[in-house]
């Protein structure tokens, strides 16, 4: 087996055929590249026993041979590779071994930190040093020096010497002109296709992750056998979905699982991160490697009452850039973030993802957008790797193997330097490390756009810098990153800065180093004070009348968005990565793991029912009978207050423990649910996982309460339904009551906005149940009150137990002994009715929870 010599950047390595060699930015790799376009673990060169081969590991920017992006290819002496870019990426020249070489293979090189890599920001990101501004025009209101009104004029900054004038976002958009073969609309701006594929005989081409496909796509978002192109008798082509998990899209809209769609000359097919277009007999593939532009055009958001909280916001950013959004409270930053991500689409305007309308094609493009909310999107009770495993299980197709998921998780952990923390619980990490884990979760699917909401909130200055340097590195590695922040200490790391003014308008967009000069202040504290002191000032008008606007935003409308036929978006629901059952099992396993790791919750689930059951034993402890023997003279049971009192305590305990189990569960996971729902989580599977796990815990608690409360007392007679198993027949209503109360707790948890509001509602619920059990006063015959009591789970649970104990005889109506409660009739039909209604109340609560959960989903998914 011949050795191979690899030469790059003046250094050489002799490769031994007996082992593989990893290429990438990872300092622990064999051959390390200090180039931001190279992925952390980019590719591997190895000998397969027959020849040398290079295999790309799903790198962001690709591996190229003779200008063609490759995934797996045989190489040999005389070959050359480019990493990260087909023309000017790091070049590797291969030759046969002839003499000892200068550097041992695999010798690690130290990678420069992100800050050092950004010391000289390349390309368009090199910013100009502004000239001294001309004397400003004064605003007609005088104020002290530290509260001066904003300046109205300034001179255009000059480009710093030594750097050519670079085009801003507007110019870059203006340079992109619609075109393409046969007049087709641009898929990725004016870029050429990544690869071309010629249709073979029979004109059928199957796409998927498996090697047996004609077109292999090494993307974990793609199923093993995903879709296929084939011709129709009239010579046209159609795309057939092969039951893919993440869906096949035509012009951004999903086609039915297993269905087909006829393709026109301008139609664009989306499969994972790849986009395809048929031109004649050739299939053009565009791989989304992160080199995408992004723009917002005239976004306006209006709330009830006609108030505008976002006003005509427009800006455009080129690929691989880091943009910061700052502004005072009430300036619409959070609203802007929701509009940009599609969570809450703007009432007017559009968001373009590389010239594609995000709102209209959200079903497909949502897979290429990562969002890190301000709150952590992880279960803190789990270890880092376990939390990422469950997230990967939910987001990747069901046919993804555990080895594939683990490999991607390990790659992301190494890239973010979290591999040494992978076995630690998330709750034990520092604030900055937890934020890295949230970013790692989003990077699993290799998004091209990443949005972050206040990632440095609550962090000290050192962690603030670390997080911003992390984001700078993500942008350099081939992604566009937009961060909403209150911190202004590390804005110099950003390529562009968007400043929002009170009222939701743009006050500035451009290089961060020119911003203070634009406003005419020495510090951001002064700028924010000016925003507060001059809230009625026309900040947006000042911005649009400036030369900065002409440079960076005036030509935002220069390129028309892609125009394609859009079928009704509601015709077919977006596909889900996993089947409903698979999602349910994953969610159940994750929820059980969270509960098991919380020792305090486990202890409480055992102690609470035990205490409630034990307390009931204190009531008339010397009297062990729940039903007194009949009076020797009348033959009728003697009224027994012990039975109603004991049942009251047990019922209220079941209500309280059941509701307490669930009343915080949805509100504490709301941010996690919102994000996972946007990535394809089934609402019903999520709700059912809570019902199954919490229901099992609550039913067992109810059984414990009933056994402790009833088993020490003598219960004469047989049950109405279970015969000799009277004890179990009495426990069943307590268990069902606990389950129904748990469902009420989920309703409360889905309604409230903060976890603090759950406890007052829990106490109120428990007190109401006490009143309407029917044990404190007679409900039957009380007009209005009795009918209202039918909505209370405790009413039906006590009634079911009361039918078994014959409450109409042992707890008769003292005011009218002839009046009996039909819900307490000592009959099997009454017991069945009481239990049926109790279950129906629980199911009805589940319906309301599902409706309320819908309010916490991306608005574009509700339409």
């Amino acid at each position: 087996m011949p050795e191979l010599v690899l030469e790059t950047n003046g250094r050489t390595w002799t490769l031994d055929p007996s082992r593989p060699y990893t290429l990438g930015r990872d300092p622990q790799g064999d051959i390390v590249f200090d180039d931001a376009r190279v992925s952390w673990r980019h590719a591997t060169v190895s000998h397969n026993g027959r020849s040398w081969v290079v295999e790309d590991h799903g790198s962001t920017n690709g591996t190229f041979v003779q200008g063609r992006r490759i995934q797996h290819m045989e190489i040999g002496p005389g070959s050359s590779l480019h990493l990260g870019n087909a023309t000017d990426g790091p070049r590797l020249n291969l030759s046969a071994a002839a003499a000892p070489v200068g550097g041992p293979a695999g010798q690690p090189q130290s990678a420069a930190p992100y800050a050092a890599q950004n010391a000289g920001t390349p390309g368009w990101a090199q910013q100009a040093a502004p000239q001294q501004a001309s004397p400003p025009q004064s605003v007609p209101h005088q104020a002290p020096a530290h509260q001066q009104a904003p300046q109205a004029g300034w001179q255009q900054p000059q480009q710093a010497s030594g750097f050519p004038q670079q085009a801003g976002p507007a110019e870059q958009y203006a340079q992109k002109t619609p075109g393409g073969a046969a007049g087709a609309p641009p898929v990725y701006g004016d870029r050429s296709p990544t690869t071309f594929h010629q249709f073979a005989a029979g004109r059928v081409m199957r796409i998927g992750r498996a090697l047996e496909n004609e077109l292999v796509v090494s993307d974990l978002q793609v199923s093993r056998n995903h879709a296929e192109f084939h011709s129709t008798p009239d010579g046209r082509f159609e795309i057939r979905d092969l039951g893919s998990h993440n869906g096949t899209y035509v012009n951004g809209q999903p086609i039915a699982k297993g269905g087909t769609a006829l393709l026109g000359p301008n139609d664009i097919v989306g499969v994972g991160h790849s986009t395809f277009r048929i031109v004649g007999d050739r299939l053009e593939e565009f791989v989304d490697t992160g080199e995408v532009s992004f723009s917002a055009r005239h976004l306006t958001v209006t709330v009830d009452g006609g108030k505008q909280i976002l006003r005509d916001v427009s800006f455009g950013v080129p690929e691989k850039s880091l943009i910061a959004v700052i502004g005072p409270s009430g300036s619409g930053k959070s609203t802007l973030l929701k509009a940009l991500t599609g969570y809450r689409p703007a009432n007017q305007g559009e968001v373009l993802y590389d010239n594609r309308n995000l709102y209209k094609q959200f079903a497909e493009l949502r897979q290429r957008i990562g969002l890190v909310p301000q709150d952590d999107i992880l279960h803190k009770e789990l270890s880092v790797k376990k939390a990422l495993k469950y997230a990967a299980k939910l987001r990747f197709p069901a046919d993804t193997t555990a080895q594939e998921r683990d490999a991607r998780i390990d790659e992301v952990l190494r890239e973010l330097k979290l591999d040494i923390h992978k076995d630690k619980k998330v709750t034990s990490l520092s604030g900055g490390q937890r934020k890295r884990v949230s970013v790692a979760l989003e990077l699993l699917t290799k998004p091209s756009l990443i949005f972050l909401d206040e990632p440095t909130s609550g962090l000290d200055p050192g962690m603030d810098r670390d997080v911003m340097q992390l984001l700078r590195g993500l942008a350099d590695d081939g992604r566009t990153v937009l961060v909403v922040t209150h911190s202004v200490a590390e804005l110099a790391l950003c390529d562009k800065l968007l400043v929002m003014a009170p009222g939701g308008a743009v006050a500035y967009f451009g290089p961060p180093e020119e911003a203070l000069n634009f406003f005419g202040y020495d510090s951001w504290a002064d700028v924010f004070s000016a925003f507060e002191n001059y809230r009625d000032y026309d900040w947006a008008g000042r911005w649009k009348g400036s030369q900065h606007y002409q440079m960076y935003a005036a030509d935002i409308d220069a390129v028309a968005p892609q125009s394609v036929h859009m079928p009704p978006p509601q015709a077919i629901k977006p596909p889900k990565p996993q089947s409903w059952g698979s999602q349910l099992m994953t969610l159940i396993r994750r929820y059980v793991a969270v509960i098991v790791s919380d020792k305090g919750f486990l202890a409480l689930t055992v102690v609470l029912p035990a205490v409630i059951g034990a307390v009931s034993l204190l009531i008339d402890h010397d009297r062990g009978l729940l039903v007194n023997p009949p009076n020797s003279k009348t033959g009728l049971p003697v009224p027994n207050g012990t039975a109603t009192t004991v049942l009251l305590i047990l019922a209220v305990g079941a209500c309280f423990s059941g509701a307490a189990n669930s009343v915080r569960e949805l509100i504490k996971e709301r941010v996690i649910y919102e994000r996972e729902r946007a990535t394809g989580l089934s609402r019903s599977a999520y709700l059912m996982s809570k019902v199954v796990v919490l229901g099992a815990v609550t039913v067992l608690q109810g059984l414990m309460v009933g056994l402790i409360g009833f088993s020490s007392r003598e219960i004469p007679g047989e049950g109405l339904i279970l015969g000799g198993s009277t004890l179990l027949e009495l426990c069943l209503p307590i268990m069902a009551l606990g389950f129904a109360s748990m469902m009420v707790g989920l309703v409360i948890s889905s309604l409230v906005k903060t976890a603090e509001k759950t406890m007052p509602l829990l106490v109120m619920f428990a007190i109401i149940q006490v009143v309407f059990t029917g044990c404190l006063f007679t409900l039957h015959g009380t007009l209005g009150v009795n009918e209202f009591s039918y909505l209370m789970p405790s009413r039906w649970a006590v009634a079911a137990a009361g039918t078994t104990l014959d409450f109409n005889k042992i707890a008769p109506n003292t005011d009218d002994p002839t009046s009996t409660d039909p819900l307490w009739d000592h009959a099997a039909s009454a017991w069945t009715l009481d239990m049926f209604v109790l279950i129906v109340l629980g199911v009805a609560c589940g319906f309301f929870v599902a409706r309320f959960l819908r309010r916490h989903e991306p608005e574009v998914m509700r339409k």
Side-chain angles (χ1 to χ4, degrees):
M1 293 185 293
E3 293 180 336
L4 188 69
V5 175
L6 184 152
E7 185 273 330
T8 178
N9 199 26
R11 299 192 62 189
T12 57
W13 288 262
T14 299
L15 308 186
D16 185 351
S18 64
R19 52 158 296 194
Y21 294 85
T22 59
L23 317 177
R25 286 187 12 251
D26 185 358
Q28 304 303 318
D30 297 304
I31 302 174
V32 183
F33 296 86
D34 188 11
D35 190 297
R37 294 169 296 181
V38 178
S39 292
W40 192 256
R41 188 170 179 265
H42 195 103
T44 297
V45 176
S46 60
H47 199 280
N48 61 9
R50 181 170 54 89
S51 62
W52 286 94
V53 294
V54 59
E55 179 180 3
D56 186 275
H57 293 298
S59 63
T60 301
N61 296 317
T63 303
F64 300 86
V65 175
Q66 296 181 348
R68 177 174 175 269
R69 182 164 182 164
I70 58 98
Q71 299 294 335
H72 187 279
M73 184 176 182
E74 293 187 358
I75 55 176
S79 301
S80 64
L81 311 174
H82 281 91
L83 305 183
N85 189 283
T87 55
D88 61 352
R91 178 182 177 126
L92 292 78
N93 296 315
L94 307 175
S95 59
V101 294
Q107 180 178 346
Q109 303 176 12
S110 59
Y114 287 135
Q117 293 176 12
N118 192 49
T121 310
W124 64 268
Q126 294 286 0
Q127 303 297 345
Q131 274 191 335
Q132 189 68 23
S134 60
Q137 303 174 14
S138 60
V139 175
H141 178 78
Q142 297 300 323
H146 65 284
Q147 292 184 349
Q148 289 184 0
Q151 302 173 9
W154 53 280
Q155 289 184 344
Q156 179 178 356
Q158 293 182 348
Q159 184 74 18
S161 60
F163 295 98
Q165 180 70 35
Q166 301 291 340
E171 284 78 7
Q172 294 212 2
Y173 269 95
Q175 291 166 8
K176 291 188 177 184
T177 56
V187 179
Y188 286 109
D190 57 355
R191 286 193 287 276
S192 300
T194 307
T195 54
F196 300 92
H197 306 278
Q198 196 70 33
F199 282 105
R203 312 187 81 184
V204 175
M205 182 174 293
R206 177 171 293 187
I207 305 171
R209 214 173 65 248
L211 296 178
E212 63 265 18
N213 293 285
E214 287 81 11
L215 202 164
V216 179
V217 180
S218 58
D219 180 358
L220 291 184
Q221 295 284 79
V222 177
S223 298
R224 296 186 62 82
N225 296 289
H226 196 104
E228 67 180 11
F229 290 95
H230 61 91
S231 60
T232 60
D234 59 1
R236 292 189 293 175
F237 284 89
E238 65 181 7
I239 181 72
R240 182 191 305 276
D241 183 85
L242 300 178
S244 64
H245 298 279
N246 276 321
T248 304
Y249 300 83
V250 176
N251 300 326
Q253 300 302 313
I255 63 176
K257 181 171 287 191
T260 61
L262 192 64
L263 301 177
N266 294 336
D267 288 335
I268 296 172
V269 177
V271 174
H273 286 79
S274 296
T275 305
F276 301 91
R277 182 175 60 194
I278 296 176
V279 180
D281 289 336
R282 187 175 68 178
L283 184 67
E284 296 182 349
E285 179 183 5
F286 300 81
V287 180
D288 187 344
T289 60
E291 297 178 349
V292 296
S293 58
F294 185 76
S295 64
R297 299 188 180 184
H298 310 293
L299 300 183
T300 299
V301 174
T302 306
V303 295
D304 295 338
K307 180 182 178 181
Q308 290 186 346
I309 56 178
L310 208 64
R311 293 190 292 114
D312 195 24
V313 175
S314 297
F315 65 94
V317 294
E319 59 200 40
K320 299 182 182 181
S321 55
L322 174 60
I323 302 94
V325 180
I326 64 172
S329 299
S331 59
K333 299 189 299 298
S334 297
T335 303
L336 175 62
L337 188 64
K338 292 179 181 179
L340 294 177
T341 56
Y343 272 51
R344 200 288 188 198
N347 301 98
Q348 300 175 25
E350 56 190 3
V351 176
L352 300 184
Y353 177 101
D354 228 29
N355 214 34
R356 301 175 67 184
N357 191 304
L358 175 64
Y359 297 159
K360 294 181 179 180
Q361 305 185 37
F362 183 79
E364 176 188 355
L365 296 180
R366 66 177 180 172
Q367 303 177 31
R368 308 184 190 183
I369 296 176
L371 173 62
V372 181
Q374 183 174 351
D375 298 325
D376 294 326
I377 50 178
L378 298 156
H379 290 88
K380 299 179 182 179
E381 300 84 358
L382 301 178
S383 67
V384 171
K385 188 161 187 177
K386 185 174 288 188
L388 294 180
K389 278 187 175 181
Y390 285 119
K393 179 71 173 175
L394 289 172
R395 298 192 182 194
F396 289 143
D399 59 10
T400 307
T401 65
Q403 292 76 15
E404 289 176 311
R405 292 194 299 269
D406 288 344
R408 179 58 187 157
I409 291 171
D410 291 339
E411 180 181 355
V412 171
L413 289 175
R414 286 194 302 270
E415 181 177 357
L416 299 183
K417 302 177 182 178
L418 287 169
D419 48 332
I420 60 175
H421 304 295
K422 64 181 180 181
D423 295 323
K424 297 179 181 178
K425 284 189 175 183
V426 175
T427 188
S428 68
L429 302 177
S430 66
Q433 291 168 343
R434 285 201 301 271
K435 192 59 63 177
R436 281 176 178 264
V437 177
S438 294
V439 173
L441 189 151
E442 292 301 313
L443 291 185
L444 289 175
T445 55
K446 297 185 177 180
S448 298
L449 288 176
I450 301 179
F451 297 88
L452 300 98
D453 188 10
E454 298 287 355
T456 61
S457 177
L459 302 183
D460 61 51
M463 290 184 179
D464 181 357
R465 180 181 59 192
D466 291 343
V467 171
M468 291 301 292
Q469 288 181 347
L470 165 67
L471 303 183
R472 176 70 263 171
L474 293 178
D476 292 339
D477 200 25
R479 306 170 183 93
T480 298
V481 183
L482 187 145
V483 53
V484 174
T485 180
H486 276 112
S487 175
V488 297
E490 304 297 334
L491 294 180
L493 291 174
C494 302
D495 299 309
K496 291 291 187 291
L497 175 64
L498 176 67
V499 183
M500 300 295 293
V506 177
Y508 173 82
F509 178 74
E513 60 267 27
E514 298 178 13
L516 287 177
N517 182 67
F518 173 82
F519 288 107
Y521 290 101
D522 295 328
S523 69
W524 284 108
D526 293 333
V527 175
F528 278 49
S529 294
F531 284 149
E532 181 64 28
N533 295 330
Y534 304 99
R535 300 186 69 88
D536 296 332
Y537 182 75
D538 187 8
W539 296 98
R542 177 177 184 267
W543 156 244
K544 291 181 178 179
S546 68
Q547 295 183 34
H548 267 83
Y549 176 80
Q550 298 300 321
M551 292 174 61
Y552 301 114
D555 294 333
I556 193 67
D557 298 318
V559 178
Q562 178 194 101
S563 177
V564 292
H565 172 67
M566 300 297 297
Q570 64 269 29
I572 302 173
K573 291 184 178 180
K576 298 176 175 60
Q578 305 279 328
S579 66
W580 188 89
S582 178
Q583 284 193 1
L584 176 62
M585 294 307 299
T586 300
L587 291 168
I588 288 176
R589 287 195 295 268
R590 182 176 69 178
Y591 194 27
V592 169
V594 170
I595 290 177
V596 170
S597 64
D598 189 347
K599 308 301 181 184
F601 180 81
L602 284 177
L604 189 61
T605 57
V606 176
V607 172
L608 182 60
V611 170
I612 292 172
V615 167
S616 68
L617 299 178
L618 301 177
I619 302 171
D620 287 347
H621 180 69
D622 295 333
R623 184 185 297 178
L625 295 178
L626 283 180
V627 179
N628 288 338
N631 187 297
S632 58
K633 295 181 179 180
T634 64
L636 298 174
V638 178
N640 184 352
T642 300
T644 55
T645 305
V646 169
L647 198 54
L648 173 65
I649 295 298
L650 298 182
V652 173
C655 286
F656 187 83
S657 60
N661 286 340
S662 61
V663 76
R664 289 177 177 264
E665 289 307 301
L666 299 183
I667 181 63
K668 75 179 184 181
E669 291 186 359
R670 181 161 297 171
V671 176
I672 298 175
Y673 171 74
E674 289 176 353
R675 183 64 194 125
E676 291 183 341
R677 178 68 177 138
T679 60
L681 178 69
S682 166
R683 181 197 313 134
S684 57
Y686 175 78
L687 176 57
M688 188 57 65
S689 70
K690 298 296 182 184
V691 172
V692 170
V693 177
L694 291 175
V697 172
T698 304
V699 166
L700 291 176
Q701 286 180 325
L703 179 62
M704 185 183 301
V705 168
L707 290 176
I708 296 175
F710 292 133
S711 60
S712 63
R713 301 178 187 275
E714 184 178 349
I715 309 172
E718 292 187 350
L720 297 170
I721 302 295
L722 301 180
S725 302
T726 310
L727 177 60
L728 179 59
E729 188 174 305
L730 287 173
C731 289
L732 285 176
I734 302 300
M735 296 160 64
L737 175 59
F739 180 84
S741 299
M742 182 271 296
M743 297 301 296
V744 174
L746 289 178
V747 172
I748 295 173
S749 190
S750 64
L751 278 173
V752 297
K753 294 183 178 180
T754 61
E756 290 75 15
K757 295 181 180 179
T758 59
M759 294 312 296
L761 293 176
L762 174 62
V763 173
M764 181 178 69
F765 168 74
I767 292 176
I768 292 176
Q769 298 310 303
V770 172
V771 174
F772 290 99
T773 55
C775 297
L776 296 180
F777 61 91
T778 302
L779 291 173
H780 177 64
T782 307
L783 186 63
V785 176
N786 185 46
E787 287 74 18
F788 182 74
S789 71
Y790 292 162
L791 299 175
M792 304 299 152
S794 62
R795 172 76 160 109
W796 299 95
V798 169
T803 60
T804 301
L805 298 175
D806 199 0
F807 268 14
N808 278 328
K809 291 185 177 179
I810 68 173
N813 187 341
T814 56
D815 297 330
D816 183 4
T818 62
S819 175
T820 60
D821 190 336
L823 301 184
W824 290 2
D825 286 346
H826 189 60
S829 59
W831 189 93
T832 303
L833 174 64
D834 295 336
M835 290 295 293
F836 175 76
V837 174
L838 189 56
I839 294 173
V840 168
L841 287 176
V843 173
C845 288
F847 171 79
F848 285 115
V849 174
R851 298 299 297 175
F852 295 146
L853 278 176
R854 190 168 175 268
R855 302 183 309 166
H856 307 296
E857 300 171 1
E859 187 171 317
V860 71
M861 296 181 67
R862 304 181 221 161
K863 299 181 179 180

